[in-house]
C-alpha cells in the first residue's frame, strides 16, 4: 500500500470474520448504545426538570451524564456502521477527530468524578459550610475546569500521537485508540506521546489518591454519625461514586499500561469495551438504583409524561 493511501485512511481489524457474527456484533453494540443513551438522557431530563435536584451534587451528575453521552457516541455508532456496511475503513481526519473527542470525554469524565468526590467530602465533613463552599458560582467554575482540562488533555495527546509518521495503517482495534495507533509509528516521535501518557497517568493517579483520601475522611465522618438512617443515606450517595471511580480508573490503567499485542485478540476487544463502553452505560444504573432522590425524580418525570394532569415535577 502506498504512503499516500496510508496517510489518507486507517483500517480496523475484524475481530469477527464471519458475516453472521458481524450482524450480531452490530446488534449487541446497538443495544448497548441505546441503553446507555436512554439511561443518561433520563438522568439529564430528571435533573433539569426537577427543581428539587438543582443542587451541586446533581449539577455535577448532569455534567457527568452529558460526558457519558459523548463518550458512547464517539465510538459505538462508527462500530455499528462499519459492521452493517462490511467496511473497516476510517479516514485520517475522522480518526483524528475520534481520538480527540474520545480523550476529551474520557479526561473530562475523570476530572468530574474528582470534583464530585470533593463535593461529597464538603457535604459530609463540613455540612454547615456546604452552601458557602459549594455555591452556584463555585460549582460552575469547577465543572468548567473539568471540561477545560479535558480539552487540553485531548489537544496534548491527539497532537503528540498524529505528529508521528506511520509505516502501516492497520489498527488492531475497533476505534482509534492511542496505544494501537502509536504501534503504527515508525519514527521516534512516538516517545513524545509516551511521555504525555505518563504525565497524564501521574495526574490521574494524583486525582485518584485525592478521591481515595476524600472518601477515607468521609467514611470516618460517617462512622461518627449517631443516626443509622443518616449514616445509610450518606453511604448511599458515596458508594455508587466510589464504584464508578474505581471501575473507570482500573479499566483505564489496564488499557493503557498493558503490553500491546502485535496481532488482534479478543482480549483487546474486551479490554476496550470495559474501558470505553461499560462505565458510561453503568453510571445511570449505579446512580439511579442507589439514589432515592433520582428514583423519585424519575418516577415524577414518568408520571408527568404519561399523565399530564399530574403536577409538573419542576414544582
Amino acid at each position: 500500500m502506498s504512503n499516500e493511501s496510508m496517510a489518507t485512511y486507517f483500517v480496523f481489524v475484524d475481530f469477527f470474520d464471519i458475516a453472521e457474527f458481524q450482524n450480531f456484533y452490530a446488534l449487541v453494540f446497538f443495544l448497548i448504545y441505546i441503553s446507555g443513551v436512554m439511561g443518561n438522557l433520563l438522568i439529564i431530563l430528571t435533573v433539569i426538570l426537577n427543581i428539587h435536584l438543582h443542587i451541586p451534587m446533581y449539577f455535577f451528575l448532569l455534567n457527568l451524564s452529558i460526558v457519558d453521552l459523548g463518550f458512547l457516541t464517539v465510538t459505538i455508532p462508527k462500530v455499528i456502521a462499519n459492521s452493517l456496511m462490511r467496511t473497516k475503513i476510517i479516514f485520517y481526519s475522522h480518526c483524528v477527530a475520534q481520538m480527540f473527542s474520545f480523550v476529551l470525554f474520557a479526561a473530562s469524565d475523570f476530572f468530574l468524578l474528582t470534583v464530585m468526590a470533593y463535593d461529597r467530602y464538603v457535604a459530609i465533613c463540613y455540612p454547615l459550610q456546604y452552601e458557602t463552599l459549594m455555591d452556584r458560582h463555585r460549582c460552575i467554575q469547577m465543572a468548567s475546569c473539568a471540561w477545560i482540562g479535558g480539552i487540553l488533555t485531548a489537544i496534548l495527546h491527539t497532537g503528540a500521537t498524529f505528529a508521528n509518521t506511520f509505516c502501516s495503517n492497520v489498527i488492531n482495534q475497533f476505534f482509534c485508540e492511542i496505544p494501537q495507533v502509536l504501534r503504527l509509528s515508525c519514527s521516534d516521535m512516538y516517545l513524545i506521546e509516551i511521555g504525555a501518557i505518563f504525565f497524564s497517568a501521574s495526574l490521574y493517579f494524583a486525582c485518584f489518591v485525592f478521591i481515595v483520601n476524600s472518601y477515607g475522611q468521609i467514611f470516618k465522618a460517617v462512622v461518627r454519625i449517631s443516626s443509622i438512617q443518616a449514616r445509610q443515606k450518606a453511604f448511599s450517595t458515596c458508594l455508587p461514586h466510589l464504584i464508578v471511580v474505581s471501575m473507570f480508573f482500573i479499566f483505564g490503567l489496564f488499557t493503557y499500561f498493558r503490553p500491546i499485542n502485535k496481532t488482534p485478540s479478543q482480549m483487546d476487544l474486551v479490554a476496550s469495551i470495559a474501558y470505553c463502553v461499560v462505565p458510561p452505560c453503568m453510571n445511570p444504573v449505579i446512580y439511579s438504583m442507589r439514589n432515592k432522590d433520582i428514583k423519585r425524580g424519575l418516577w415524577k418525570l414518568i408520571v408527568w409524561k404519561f399523565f399530564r394532569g399530574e403536577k409538573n415535577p419542576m414544582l
Side-chain angles (χ1 to χ4, degrees):
M1 191 171 294
S2 66
N3 290 333
E4 182 180 356
S5 62
M6 283 193 294
T8 304
Y9 64 89
F10 293 97
V11 179
F12 297 127
V13 169
D14 272 335
F15 288 91
F16 301 105
D17 294 327
I18 304 174
E20 288 74 10
F21 277 144
Q22 290 286 353
N23 294 331
F24 177 74
Y25 190 44
L27 177 61
V28 169
F29 271 93
F30 176 76
L31 294 176
I32 292 174
Y33 181 68
I34 290 298
S35 62
V37 168
M38 291 300 296
N40 284 290
L41 279 177
L42 281 175
I43 287 183
I44 292 172
L45 290 175
T46 300
V47 174
I48 291 176
L49 295 177
N50 195 325
I51 196 171
H52 301 293
L53 300 181
H54 291 182
I55 58 176
M57 174 183 175
Y58 298 109
F59 170 73
F60 295 129
L61 181 57
L62 169 67
N63 279 267
L64 185 65
S65 293
I66 294 173
V67 168
D68 287 338
L69 277 177
F71 210 177
L72 288 170
T73 305
V74 164
T75 56
I76 297 185
K78 179 63 177 177
V79 174
I80 297 172
N82 284 355
S83 296
L84 293 177
M85 299 187 331
R86 303 292 190 270
T87 180
K88 301 177 289 182
I89 292 175
I90 183 171
F91 291 108
Y92 184 93
S93 58
H94 294 177
C95 186
V96 174
Q98 186 182 63
M99 182 180 292
F100 177 87
S101 302
F102 180 82
V103 176
L104 163 63
F105 291 121
S108 299
D109 202 319
F110 199 78
F111 291 144
L112 280 170
L113 291 173
T114 305
V115 169
M116 292 172 72
Y118 176 75
D119 172 69
R120 292 298 85 205
Y121 167 73
V122 175
I124 294 175
C125 297
Y126 300 96
L128 299 180
Q129 304 175 39
Y130 181 72
E131 292 186 2
T132 302
L133 294 174
M134 299 298 294
D135 59 13
R136 180 182 179 87
H137 182 67
R138 183 72 58 84
C139 290
I140 293 175
Q141 280 185 331
M142 295 172 73
S144 299
C145 287
W147 282 98
I148 293 172
I151 293 172
L152 294 177
T153 303
I155 293 173
L156 171 66
H157 287 289
T158 307
T161 300
F162 287 97
N164 288 276
T165 301
F166 301 112
C167 295
S168 173
N169 67 340
V170 180
I171 300 176
N172 293 338
Q173 194 49 270
F174 62 87
F175 71 101
C176 292
E177 186 183 47
I178 292 176
Q180 296 295 343
V181 174
L182 281 182
R183 191 183 66 82
L184 310 180
S185 174
C186 54
S187 67
D188 292 335
M189 292 294 292
Y190 77 94
L191 295 175
I192 297 177
E193 173 57 13
I194 295 296
I197 289 176
F198 276 97
F199 171 77
S200 297
S202 301
L203 177 61
Y204 297 147
F205 182 73
C207 291
F208 184 73
V209 170
F210 175 81
I211 293 171
V212 171
N213 181 64
S214 297
Y215 277 103
Q217 300 298 322
I218 288 172
F219 290 143
K220 287 181 182 179
V222 169
V223 169
R224 293 195 294 266
I225 298 177
S226 57
S227 171
I228 297 178
Q229 185 177 2
R231 192 184 307 167
Q232 290 177 343
K233 183 177 180 180
F235 276 122
S236 68
T237 59
C238 294
L239 286 178
H241 182 229
L242 192 57
I243 292 171
V244 171
V245 170
S246 301
M247 183 169 57
F248 192 82
F249 184 80
I250 292 171
F251 289 159
L253 191 67
F254 179 76
T255 299
Y256 282 86
F257 289 92
R258 63 187 171 86
I260 300 175
N261 296 324
K262 294 184 178 180
T263 57
S265 68
Q266 302 303 318
M267 183 56 67
D268 294 319
L269 178 65
V270 172
S272 297
I273 290 175
Y275 172 61
C276 68
V277 176
V278 174
C281 286
M282 290 300 297
N283 283 352
V285 176
I286 292 173
Y287 282 107
S288 62
M289 293 299 290
R290 298 283 303 179
N291 193 297
K292 292 182 180 179
D293 292 333
I294 288 291
K295 288 191 287 188
R296 191 180 300 114
L298 281 172
W299 175 247
K300 288 182 179 181
L301 179 63
I302 293 171
V303 170
W304 179 67
K305 176 66 177 177
F306 292 100
F307 304 97
R308 294 306 178 103
E310 295 291 329
K311 188 178 180 181
N312 190 316
M314 284 195 67
L315 302 179

